[in-house]
Amino acid sequence: MTDNSRKDRINVTPKQKHEYARLMVQANYTNKQIMEISGAAASAVTRWKKQYLAEQRGEMIEGKIPLDADKRLIHELKQELAEAREDIRLLKKATALFIRDNPNLK
């Protein structure tokens, strides 16, 4: 016997989450209406709304992909910049070691 009380997991893009949360905040849709439209659970819909409101206040929730497209792009670019800086740091160390170990370059 298996317990089938859990819903199947649905995949909702950040863009869709943003739109559902916007509907709740700006168009006064209820959580139940969004649950019916999206097929998501109550806890997910509540999280989307909470994250949307936090982003509207300028707060970023750690570990969450931003719902707003512009904020998502900024987040991705910040990650790329951090990776590039780490690459540069490692290349500088490697270059210093290469120069130190090669007597012809001193």
Side-chain angles (χ1 to χ4, degrees), residues 14-72:
K15 185 176 181 179
Q16 290 171 317
K17 292 176 186 178
H18 182 265
E19 183 60 24
Y20 292 139
R22 189 190 65 75
L23 287 172
M24 284 187 283
V25 173
Q26 295 178 358
N28 296 323
Y29 277 59
T30 64
N31 285 16
K32 189 169 186 168
Q33 288 174 313
I34 297 299
M35 287 168 50
E36 291 170 2
I37 295 170
S38 67
S43 60
V45 172
T46 302
R47 280 193 318 267
W48 301 342
K49 184 177 180 181
K50 181 180 176 184
Q51 184 177 354
Y52 178 84
L53 291 171
E55 288 180 11
Q56 295 299 309
R57 291 189 305 267
E59 302 168 5
M60 298 301 291
I61 299 176
E62 190 67 32
K64 296 279 185 184
I65 297 173
L67 299 178
D68 184 39
D70 292 336
K71 290 182 173 108
R72 211 171 29 252

Side-chain angles (χ1 to χ4, degrees), residues 6 22 32 44 52 54 57 59 80 89 99 101 106:
R6 282 188 80 150
R22 189 190 65 75
K32 189 169 186 168
Y52 178 84
R57 291 189 305 267
E59 302 168 5
E80 286 181 27
R89 188 184 67 77
I99 290 172
D101 293 342
K106 289 184 178 178

Side-chain angles (χ1 to χ4, degrees), residues 84-98:
R85 286 181 173 162
E86 179 64 14
D87 289 346
I88 290 169
R89 188 184 67 77
L90 291 172
L91 286 170
K92 284 180 179 180
K93 282 186 176 183
T95 303
L97 289 173
F98 179 74

